[in-house]
Amino acid sequence: MLSVGLAIGIVSACKDSFLSRDPQGQYSPTALKTPSGVEGLLVGAYAMIDGQGLDGQDPWNNDIQSWVFGGIASDDSYKGTDAGDQPEESFIEKWDFQPTNNHIKNKWRGLYKGIARTNDVINTLAEVKEVSDTRRKQIIAEARFLRGLFHFEAKKMWKTIPYIDETIYKLDDLESTKVPNDKDVWPMIEADFKAASEGLPEAQSQVGRPTKWAALAFLAKTYMYQGWNISTGAANVAVLQKAKPILEQIVASGKFSLAPKFEDNFLIATRNNVESIFEIQYAVSSASGDAADAGVGLAHPYIDPWGCCGFYQPSQNLVNAFKTTAAGLPMLDNFNDSDVKNDQGLKYSDPFEPYTGTLDPRLDQTVGRRGILFKDFKIHGSDFIRDQTYAGPYSPKKHISEKAGFGINGWGNLSSNNYRIMRYGMILLWLAECDVELGNLENARKLVNQIRTRAANPAGFVKKAVQGPKSRDDYSVLNEPAANYVIKTYDQAWTDAAVARKAVRFESRLEFAMEGHRFFDLTRWGIAAEVLNAYVAVEANKRVYKKGAVFTKGKNEFFPIPQEAIDRSYKAGAATLTQDPAYK
């Protein structure tokens, strides 16, 4: 495994201009101009992925899993916990995005710190002659992959960003990166991923380092994010035609397949499996949690063994989306007409009759809800929740480790549960999106059915658990499903593009719910205002603090550039960064 924690001290001498504090390090740039020094710098660039590579900053501010920006800003989840905890996230949840919001500021700082480190790798490598040509090529490819990833994450957050490569970045010149954000940076991001795909091997000896396939997958993702007009929702067919052959190449490679069970994508025991194209690697031991998944540390239930902190609670809207028809298909248009029964307002000791309607089994791998075993810890109940009246009765589930991964370090909310940022299921559903827009509706249906067939594997269903008498942790598992799971494939031909489009997008929500993608999906499809305003109109009746929240089309699809970044971009008496006009 590639450990992202080892080189943090080594690379602390790196600067990132106006984007972070002054450097505090023990190693001079000259001391790092060796083969081992370059390798240390590269590992330091990887260290920025997990959100813990920036001193003085909470990792959940710039965590790559994007649960704050991609999750609570969407219809998938609420901020959770209680009203007074991390109030800046409450503004994000209600789309009151401000340039002074610390979460937005720190996301910028973290990403551009990562970009600075990748450029430092490339510039330092150029002065080290003792590196073989083969390894030199791969170091540059890995650095460019990471640089593309950091810029991509920034581009999906902010409408216009500066692109900074090794020709711009100068370690000894604080002014060097003060460049304007007046260009379309998508071509530069594409170029990084293309170069990475040409320089990376098809397989790596260390998990955590990207392969050719990971670079191609992210190149396709850059096209998917340009595949629709954000203002009108119209498909950009020419761009989707660029994505399609790359996605088909990944499928045809035979290197990847869907894991047998849906839950295999969310367990420590099944990290880096056949579905994994690129995972953010986490590690924790009794000695250190520096490389653990601290970015999601707050997003754990409020009951023991976690005891903190109750953030990132799934919405009722999301839970309702997992209802199915008697035929086992999603309720594309009327899923939110009625609620899946919950224990809102009930104490744990109060009797509760569970929902008996038909459900997609992925619900209980995604959401903790009353009466269902939560991983392998205990049966979920109202005692999991800090304040049900504020943020409802549900808990997040996918990112939380099973019991074997708990309690290794001082804070039990840290684990080695990797984040599957790029998996094969995404490739299949992006390809289905392309096929819908290019008129290949039947192929899109077959691709969606691959996803649904895996979800329907009964071996992956959550099993029913019965509370035992000894303690809250005492339970026994029965050999039967925990709920009325009914899921089937689409067996009728798809002939209507609008219906097919809706089905593919709905499938993406079900498959990747609570993984930090939802807000950005709604934005790239150009339907964020329509979906989120309809969402809040209903949710405001359940979560009173949402009353008055409005998603403003043409504005809230992107976040404002942090005021701190603008203030620190001054050069020759003028700011080089320009605020998004929607936020002026």
Side-chain angles (χ1 to χ4, degrees):
M1 176 183 290
L2 176 66
S3 175
V4 298
L6 295 179
I8 292 176
I10 294 176
V11 300
S12 62
C14 301
K15 300 177 183 177
D16 60 355
S17 186
F18 58 92
L19 301 165
S20 77
R21 302 180 303 173
D22 290 337
Q24 300 175 6
Q26 299 176 353
Y27 291 83
S28 70
T30 301
L32 294 171
K33 292 176 182 177
T34 64
S36 60
V38 171
E39 295 288 357
L41 290 172
L42 180 59
V43 174
Y46 280 102
M48 291 309 304
I49 295 180
D50 70 359
Q52 294 199 72
L54 195 60
D55 291 340
Q57 180 167 308
D58 293 328
W60 46 87
N61 288 185
N62 63 297
D63 177 55
I64 200 73
Q65 301 193 44
S66 287
W67 64 270
V68 173
F69 303 104
I72 66 174
S74 78
D75 51 355
D76 269 8
S77 76
Y78 315 126
K79 175 180 77 74
T81 185
D82 67 15
D85 206 345
Q86 298 279 334
E88 287 185 309
E89 292 179 12
S90 296
F91 290 104
I92 292 170
E93 181 178 9
K94 294 188 287 187
W95 314 301
D96 184 3
F97 305 152
Q98 298 295 329
T100 53
N101 187 298
N102 276 329
H103 283 63
I104 297 173
K105 176 193 75 176
N106 289 336
K107 182 72 171 179
W108 179 283
R109 292 180 72 237
L111 291 174
Y112 277 94
K113 181 73 170 183
I115 291 165
R117 289 186 178 185
T118 63
N119 288 323
D120 199 17
V121 170
I122 296 172
N123 285 337
T124 303
L125 177 64
E127 299 186 52
V128 179
K129 307 304 180 186
E130 301 85 358
V131 177
S132 70
D133 290 343
T134 298
R135 182 58 190 145
R136 183 179 301 273
K137 179 181 177 182
Q138 288 193 18
I139 289 173
I140 293 172
E142 288 184 44
R144 291 196 70 175
F145 173 87
L146 292 173
R147 187 170 71 190
L149 176 60
F150 292 132
H151 276 109
F152 176 88
E153 290 295 311
K155 184 66 178 76
K156 76 182 189 184
M157 283 280 297
W158 295 283
K159 190 173 186 178
T160 55
I161 62 168
Y163 177 86
I164 300 171
D165 65 12
E166 78 279 8
T167 66
I168 297 172
Y169 175 83
K170 305 300 179 187
L171 181 63
D172 298 323
D173 182 3
L174 291 174
E175 303 288 288
S176 65
T177 54
K178 295 181 179 181
V179 297
N181 55 331
D182 58 355
K183 297 180 178 65
D184 177 11
V185 304
W186 280 125
M188 293 86 145
I189 297 172
E190 293 163 17
D192 273 337
F193 287 133
K194 285 177 182 176
S197 72
E198 294 165 359
L200 290 170
E202 293 196 8
Q204 291 273 20
S205 59
Q206 288 182 304
V207 295
R209 296 188 187 268
T211 64
K212 166 187 176 178
W213 305 108
L216 286 173
F218 276 96
L219 175 58
K221 188 174 183 179
T222 65
Y223 291 132
M224 297 307 295
Y225 269 68
Q226 300 171 74
W228 286 265
N229 184 305
I230 290 176
S231 298
T232 66
N236 187 335
V237 172
V239 175
L240 294 176
Q241 286 175 327
K242 293 181 181 180
K244 182 175 168 64
I246 301 172
L247 296 167
E248 291 176 330
Q249 181 183 358
I250 296 170
V251 172
S253 74
K255 301 288 185 181
F256 310 98
S257 60
L258 294 176
K261 297 182 291 184
F262 181 62
E263 70 171 347
D264 290 339
N265 293 299
F266 316 110
L267 299 175
I268 290 179
T270 49
R271 292 174 294 177
N272 303 303
N273 60 37
V274 295
E275 190 166 347
S276 174
I277 298 177
F278 188 65
E279 293 189 17
I280 309 302
Q281 306 291 318
Y282 293 111
V284 63
S285 69
S286 58
S288 175
D290 290 345
D293 59 345
V296 289
L298 297 185
H300 284 64
Y302 211 64
I303 195 174
D304 70 276
W306 309 283
C308 176
C309 296
F311 284 81
Y312 198 28
Q313 290 181 237
S315 70
Q316 185 64 52
N317 180 285
L318 175 63
V319 172
N320 293 343
F322 286 93
K323 293 189 297 185
T324 63
T325 66
L329 295 176
M331 298 179 177
L332 301 180
D333 296 310
N334 60 349
F335 73 93
N336 207 35
D337 287 355
S338 62
D339 291 344
V340 171
K341 189 176 181 181
N342 60 66
D343 63 335
Q344 179 76 46
L346 298 178
K347 297 178 181 178
Y348 174 71
S349 57
D350 291 336
F352 176 74
E353 292 295 327
Y355 181 77
T356 58
T358 53
L359 294 167
D360 186 312
R362 287 172 289 187
L363 169 61
D364 291 321
Q365 302 287 6
T366 304
V367 176
R369 65 189 186 101
R370 177 67 176 261
I372 308 295
L373 184 62
F374 191 88
K375 296 282 184 169
D376 55 353
F377 286 93
K378 60 187 74 181
I379 297 171
H380 194 281
S382 58
D383 50 357
F384 271 59
I385 309 299
R386 185 174 189 177
D387 184 355
Q388 270 203 1
T389 61
Y390 176 68
Y394 304 114
S395 298
K397 199 170 186 179
K398 282 182 174 178
H399 61 269
I400 294 174
S401 76
E402 55 269 44
K403 190 179 292 185
F406 172 78
I408 299 172
N409 193 255
W411 188 25
N413 291 16
L414 302 180
S415 81
S416 304
N417 203 4
N418 289 353
Y419 176 50
R420 284 72 161 177
I421 192 172
M422 183 64 71
R423 53 190 176 93
Y424 186 63
M426 296 172 181
I427 303 301
L428 295 180
L429 287 177
W430 287 335
L431 190 52
E433 288 184 31
C434 292
D435 278 329
V436 168
E437 305 306 333
L438 298 175
N440 308 314
L441 301 187
E442 277 299 272
N443 194 53
R445 181 174 69 89
K446 292 175 183 177
L447 290 163
V448 169
N449 280 344
Q450 288 187 50
I451 298 291
R452 295 185 65 77
T453 297
R454 190 266 297 277
N457 177 8
F461 292 179
V462 174
K463 297 295 190 293
K464 185 175 182 179
V466 178
Q467 183 66 49
K470 297 179 181 178
S471 70
R472 184 69 179 85
D473 296 332
D474 182 25
Y475 64 86
S476 57
V477 178
L478 308 181
N479 190 27
E480 61 182 271
N484 185 13
Y485 302 133
V486 180
I487 180 172
K488 303 292 183 182
T489 55
Y490 288 96
D491 296 333
Q492 299 297 315
W494 283 0
T495 58
D496 186 318
V499 175
R501 182 180 301 113
K502 188 179 296 184
V504 172
R505 291 175 177 178
F506 206 93
E507 198 67 31
S508 292
R509 186 185 192 190
L510 299 175
E511 182 74 5
F512 307 119
M514 301 296 289
E515 295 182 47
H517 305 296
R518 177 64 173 172
F519 177 83
F520 302 110
D521 279 341
L522 293 174
T523 296
R524 70 183 177 90
W525 291 327
I527 60 173
E530 169 193 343
V531 171
L532 294 178
N533 283 325
Y535 157 72
V536 78
V538 177
E539 289 291 330
N541 296 316
K542 301 179 175 75
R543 312 268 75 85
V544 295
Y545 67 87
K546 284 184 172 286
K547 289 186 182 297
V550 175
F551 185 98
T552 303
K553 186 175 179 62
K555 177 180 181 179
N556 295 140
E557 288 86 354
F558 295 98
F559 296 85
I561 292 176
Q563 188 60 46
E564 177 187 83
I566 294 173
D567 292 343
R568 294 188 177 186
S569 76
Y570 271 75
K571 188 175 183 179
T576 55
L577 290 180
T578 302
Q579 183 60 271
D580 182 342
Y583 289 97
K584 287 185 176 179

